[in-house]
Amino acid sequence: MSKKPAAIRGTNDFVKDEAARFDHVVDTFRRVARQFNFRPVHIPVFEQTSVFARSLGETTDVVSKEMYTFEDRSGDSVTLRPEFTAGIARAYISNGWQQHGLMKLSAWGPCFRYERPQKGRFRQFHQLDAEMLGAGEPMHDVELLAFGQQLLEDLGVAGNVSLQLNTLGDPDSRAAWQAALLAYFRRHEDALSADSRERLERNPLRILDSKDEGDRRVVAEAPIIDEFLTDDAKGWFDRVQGGLSVARIDFERNMRLVRGLDYYRHTAFEFVTDALGAQGTVLAGGRYDGLVEAMGGAPTPAIGWAAGIERLAMLVDGVNEDPIDVALVPMNEAAEHVGLSLLNALRSGGGVSGETFARGNMKKRMQRADASGAALALVIGESELQKKAVQVKDMSEGDQTSVAFGDLGFIGGYLAERRLRVMEGEGESMPAFSAWFAANKVRSK
RNA sequence: GCGAUCGUAGCUCAGUCGGUUAGAGCGCUGGUUUGUGGUACCAGAGGUCGCGGGUUCGAACCCCGUCGAUCGCCCCA
């Protein structure tokens, strides 16, 4: 027992409903991405360490203590990606993607951060990512937010989530605000928590979203960005807000929402929930006009967001594993051989899913067939082989009818119609197989 | 990195003041005249009580350490 291999701390193994929820989040993301014309981009899971170290900022926690960094066999320092944006920016520069003009990209996959695991926080976690590069209009911000909003709605979690919005202004606004903020916090340094006094040196903006009571009292009186916005920056933010209300995307202005890094400009946002404890941010992003330039490319306006797949999967409910369509229940080996070829014909003919239940006594076989959730059971024994027909049992109705091997297509037809009705929410109206078969068999003559 | 709580079968848990071969439910495997489930019954497999050390005649239970999980801080998706 003690010899059992253990998973690495902060990693997860998902099966069954957890895996189904995870996939549902990804499937939904990919579908909505197509609707918004965000095209797939595939980038490496690891990069030269400098890609992340320079883009995220040497002083951030992510870079200074949370990266999975190691030397490869040639002695180069490489790092498992802690997020997507830096890698996509690097690819944009490496490949000269500015030739494509506006690029709307979507990606998803694992990211790695050496953190203390907690609810909704893991060392290997998975993100959905959306980026717009070469996007220099306020309406691009609105479009990107609309994508995020639509995703949350299609996942059915929008009701538990609210959009917090802020602006960091352009570089001039931001620099003036930051200087005023720093001066203000220094005046009130003795009222700040130990953590925040630390932040004063490294990342003063972060004091704004501190959870400490005392800090919040100081923050309440702190200078706000609006007093420092240039006309351009204010105009930008007004157009974003105007676009959001036209798009009917509700948001809440949150003056304390910030981004620590210099290349962030203008729009910053987070979709948050209180259903996940301390890890309430479910989808977050902002405009990072300065990043591509800071990494050695041409000045490129850009905006993007990332969402935590595990966090979204924890909010999603009512997603279960898909049951199979048919359960094959053969009575003996000869029947199993024939049954398998019938099942394979159904699979290749009409996308029917199925499984064989050939172990244990008859009762056990039916029990397992039932547990599989199959709509129909195909029972084949000696007498069926002789008659060249299968017994088809409707598992929810309990009725059973004989179907000649040559009429197998009706099973595919029944299942297809059933799927359609279920999709339209009218699964209840589907007749039992025996009645449906009798009616359609007659009609086909 | 800091703090709190918790680790007993695959899962959820019980296990009295430290006292013989550590239990239940579910699940799993097989069976109940060798052909019928969603609601029967019988049997079986499966645990060095997270790991290591200590106290004791004796430890699942007490002590120390360690690993892991959970929740919070920090940080963030």
Side-chain angles (χ1 to χ4, degrees):
Chain A
M1 214 60 330
S2 58
K3 295 274 174 57
K4 271 188 191 171
I8 288 185
R9 183 171 200 192
T11 65
N12 291 113
D13 306 307
F14 294 131
V15 291
K16 300 198 174 276
D17 288 2
E18 282 182 314
R21 283 204 299 277
F22 187 107
D23 282 1
H24 180 247
V25 170
V26 175
D27 291 347
T28 305
F29 169 71
R30 286 163 53 108
R31 195 188 70 239
V32 178
R34 271 196 298 281
Q35 291 172 338
F36 281 81
N37 197 30
F38 279 71
R39 299 291 169 158
V41 58
H42 300 294
I43 56 164
V45 170
F46 60 168
E47 298 275 355
Q48 292 178 12
T49 298
S50 58
V51 168
F52 302 115
R54 281 192 298 158
S55 69
L56 294 174
E58 307 279 356
T59 63
T60 60
D61 276 22
V62 170
V63 170
S64 60
K65 49 193 192 202
E66 294 177 0
M67 293 206 307
Y68 273 93
T69 296
F70 56 94
E71 283 189 4
D72 68 13
R73 286 171 183 276
S74 68
D76 294 336
S77 180
V78 299
T79 295
L80 267 28
R81 67 179 173 216
E83 53 123 45
F84 274 90
T85 307
I88 290 176
R90 189 236 88 218
Y92 184 88
I93 298 165
S94 304
N95 300 301
W97 283 344
Q98 66 271 15
Q99 67 177 309
H100 298 119
L102 172 64
M103 283 199 101
K104 295 160 64 179
L105 300 173
S106 62
W108 72 273
C111 297
F112 304 85
R113 252 120 90 161
Y114 191 85
E115 295 187 279
R116 185 82 170 258
Q118 213 175 299
K119 183 175 190 174
R121 196 172 81 180
F122 312 101
R123 288 186 176 178
Q124 176 175 336
F125 58 104
H126 298 78
Q127 282 190 342
L128 309 173
D129 190 80
E131 309 286 350
M132 300 173 88
L133 295 125
E137 300 294 327
M139 287 315 292
H140 291 133
D141 303 42
V142 177
E143 184 182 2
L144 184 84
L145 259 333
F147 178 11
Q149 173 73 28
Q150 186 68 48
L151 172 67
L152 298 174
E153 276 173 21
D154 284 14
L155 286 171
V157 305
N160 297 322
V161 168
S162 71
L163 172 58
Q164 311 267 299
L165 184 75
N166 199 16
T167 181
L168 304 169
D170 52 27
D172 288 346
S173 322
R174 188 189 157 116
W177 177 48
Q178 201 160 338
L181 218 42
L182 198 57
Y184 171 82
F185 284 135
R186 286 211 199 286
R187 277 203 303 280
H188 297 275
E189 191 166 347
D190 45 351
L192 291 174
S193 66
D195 278 335
S196 284
R197 261 172 274 158
E198 185 90 4
R199 284 188 272 238
L200 210 42
E201 304 307 320
R202 294 194 309 142
N203 201 349
L205 288 188
R206 277 288 167 202
I207 299 173
L208 289 174
D209 57 7
S210 170
K211 290 175 185 167
D212 182 85
E213 272 300 319
D215 287 350
R216 297 189 92 120
R217 277 196 293 277
V218 178
V219 166
E221 305 294 320
I224 60 174
I225 181 71
D226 295 34
E227 300 164 13
F228 300 89
L229 289 179
T230 61
D231 288 348
D232 284 352
K234 185 174 186 313
W236 186 288
F237 193 43
D238 287 344
R239 290 173 67 196
V240 171
Q241 293 180 86
L244 287 175
S245 62
V246 169
R248 304 240 297 278
I249 297 171
D250 292 333
F251 64 90
E252 197 178 308
R253 176 73 194 278
N254 180 352
M255 310 262 205
R256 291 177 286 109
L257 198 162
V258 292
R259 292 284 110 101
L261 309 178
D262 286 347
Y263 52 75
Y264 277 105
R265 315 269 161 87
H266 298 293
T267 314
F269 58 90
E270 291 183 7
F271 286 87
V272 299
T273 177
D274 52 15
L276 293 177
Q279 266 63 246
T281 303
V282 112
L283 187 156
R287 180 162 278 282
Y288 53 92
D289 290 351
L291 176 61
V292 172
E293 186 176 9
M295 290 179 71
T300 305
I303 184 166
W305 54 248
I309 296 179
E310 288 88 349
R311 290 182 187 181
L312 287 171
M314 283 189 275
L315 292 179
V316 166
D317 51 32
V319 177
N320 303 311
E321 274 189 304
D322 283 339
I324 54 173
D325 295 318
V326 302
L328 176 65
V329 184
M331 298 307 304
N332 56 44
E333 203 168 316
E336 186 173 358
H337 289 321
V338 172
L340 277 174
S341 66
L342 296 177
L343 181 52
N344 281 332
L346 284 170
R347 284 176 176 137
S348 55
V352 171
S353 59
E355 177 64 75
T356 311
F357 299 89
R359 282 166 59 226
N361 60 27
M362 190 59 184
K363 192 174 182 74
K364 283 288 193 309
R365 294 175 195 218
M366 288 305 289
Q367 273 175 356
R368 293 193 186 101
D370 181 41
S372 77
L376 302 176
L378 310 187
V379 179
I380 307 179
E382 257 337 297
S383 59
E384 282 73 28
L385 288 178
Q386 275 167 23
K387 285 184 282 187
K388 296 199 185 312
V390 293
Q391 287 291 320
V392 178
K393 180 165 189 170
D394 186 312
M395 293 301 275
S396 54
E397 300 296 328
D399 62 277
Q400 192 165 309
T401 190
S402 180
V403 175
F405 291 171
D407 285 339
L408 215 63
F410 285 101
I411 294 175
Y414 176 80
L415 290 168
E417 187 175 330
R418 184 173 178 275
R419 246 195 309 274
L420 208 66
R421 293 210 197 178
V422 168
M423 210 187 300
E424 288 165 355
E426 292 171 14
E428 297 298 309
S429 67
M430 191 67 195
F433 178 77
S434 55
W436 183 94
F437 177 61
N440 284 269
K441 176 77 174 160
V442 168
R443 200 179 309 157
S444 72
K445 278 186 177 159

